[in-house]
């Protein structure tokens, strides 16, 4: 069974990032940052649900917790998915290209791998856009002693989203299937319309500051 980056220790993962190995790289780091942000949002919820003081927001916090945990699982999976996508591109690059048929097969394999390398970070960006919204809600309604973690979660989600978006744009630029590339870019634009990154981070931070002052 192949080694899973998400199952490695934090030290092993960081050592891998800092090494001369091609993976894990920026895409995996972005997915992990998003998963960390989701974990922080979940923690705020865990310290809120079931507490009499926050009974009025119990249902909301249960909903946020359920979804943040789903997103955490999906973003954890994206760590390895990004590594696999990059590996597919590397394997395609190494395919023989002596004959016309070999060159054609190699080109098709490269495009398939590039499509996958666009799809994975696109999913990360979309999930982190949703996570940003959950982080704001956790800051608004969560246990006041934990809400700074919601703001940190928002920062992590925003960084992950911005990093994933960068990878989508770079990879989409090399796709010959312009219909798919344009669709991917439109999905990115939809994320930004729904959940503008820095605006939501600033909102979460402002909420935390106001609630702490109160």
């Amino acid at each position: 069974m192949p080694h899973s980056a998400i199952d490695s220790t934090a030290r092993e993962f960081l050592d891998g990032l800092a090494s001369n190995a091609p993976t894990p790289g920026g895409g995996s780091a972005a997915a992990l940052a998003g998963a960390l942000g989701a974990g922080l949002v979940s923690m705020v919820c865990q310290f809120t649900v079931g507490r009499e003081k926050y009974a009025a927001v119990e249902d909301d916090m249960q909903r946020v917790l359920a979804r943040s945990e789903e997103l955490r699982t999906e973003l954890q999976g994206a760590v390895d998915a990004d590594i696999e996508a990059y590996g597919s591109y590397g394997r395609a690059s190494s395919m023989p290209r002596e004959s016309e048929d070999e060159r054609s097969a190699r080109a098709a394999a490269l495009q398939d791998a590039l499509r996958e390398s666009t799809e994975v970070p696109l999913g990360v960006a979309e999930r982190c856009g949703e996570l940003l919204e959950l982080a704001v809600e956790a800051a608004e309604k969560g246990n006041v002693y934990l809400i700074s973690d919601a703001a940190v979660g928002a920062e992590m989600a925003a960084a992950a989203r911005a990093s994933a978006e960068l990878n989508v744009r770079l990879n989409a630029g090399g796709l010959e299937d312009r219909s798919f590339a344009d669709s991917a870019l439109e999905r990115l634009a939809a994320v930004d319309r729904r959940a503008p990154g820095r605006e939501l981070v600033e909102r979460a931070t402002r909420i935390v500051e106001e609630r702490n002052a109160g």
Side-chain angles (χ1 to χ4, degrees):
M1 183 175 181
H3 177 70
S4 169
I6 195 62
D7 291 332
S8 64
T9 66
R11 185 181 299 279
E12 288 170 342
F13 188 87
L14 291 172
D15 285 346
L17 283 178
S19 75
N20 62 356
T23 59
S28 295
L32 181 58
L36 290 170
L40 286 168
V41 171
S42 292
M43 183 175 70
V44 175
C45 296
Q46 295 280 17
F47 277 87
T48 306
V49 299
R51 304 206 175 196
E52 185 176 352
K53 180 178 179 180
Y54 300 100
V57 296
E58 175 75 15
D59 290 345
D60 289 339
M61 289 291 92
Q62 289 280 11
R63 171 181 47 77
V64 172
L65 175 59
R67 185 56 184 150
S68 65
E69 283 297 275
E70 290 174 350
L71 291 172
R72 181 166 70 92
T73 297
E74 292 166 5
L75 288 163
Q76 286 174 189
V79 173
D80 284 327
D82 187 84
I83 290 172
E84 176 55 32
Y86 190 92
S88 296
Y89 192 86
R91 290 189 294 272
S93 297
S94 299
M95 290 175 64
R97 43 182 166 172
E98 296 301 319
S99 68
E100 184 61 35
D101 285 346
E102 287 177 342
R103 285 191 290 272
S104 178
R106 179 178 180 274
L110 283 170
Q111 284 297 306
D112 287 344
L114 199 55
R115 184 185 180 106
E116 184 182 2
S117 296
T118 303
E119 189 71 55
V120 173
L122 180 56
V124 171
E126 291 176 327
R127 290 177 175 92
C128 288
E130 183 178 358
L131 180 59
L132 272 162
E133 296 177 295
L134 296 179
V136 170
E137 188 169 1
E140 288 175 333
K141 302 172 182 176
N143 188 321
V144 70
Y145 295 110
L146 274 293
I147 54 174
S148 62
D149 293 295
V152 175
E155 288 279 9
M156 297 293 287
R161 195 187 102 179
S163 301
E165 286 182 358
L166 175 62
N167 284 336
V168 172
R169 294 186 188 283
L170 291 174
N171 292 332
L175 284 168
E176 294 175 359
D177 183 350
R178 296 317 303 167
S179 176
F180 175 80
D182 291 344
S183 174
L185 296 177
E186 174 51 35
R187 284 167 63 183
L188 278 186
V191 173
D192 194 55
R193 288 193 296 270
R194 172 182 168 179
R198 293 314 308 173
E199 180 180 319
L200 291 182
V201 170
E202 290 167 6
R203 187 185 306 172
T205 302
R206 186 167 59 251
I207 290 167
V208 169
E209 292 172 347
E210 290 172 351
R211 290 189 67 192
N212 279 333

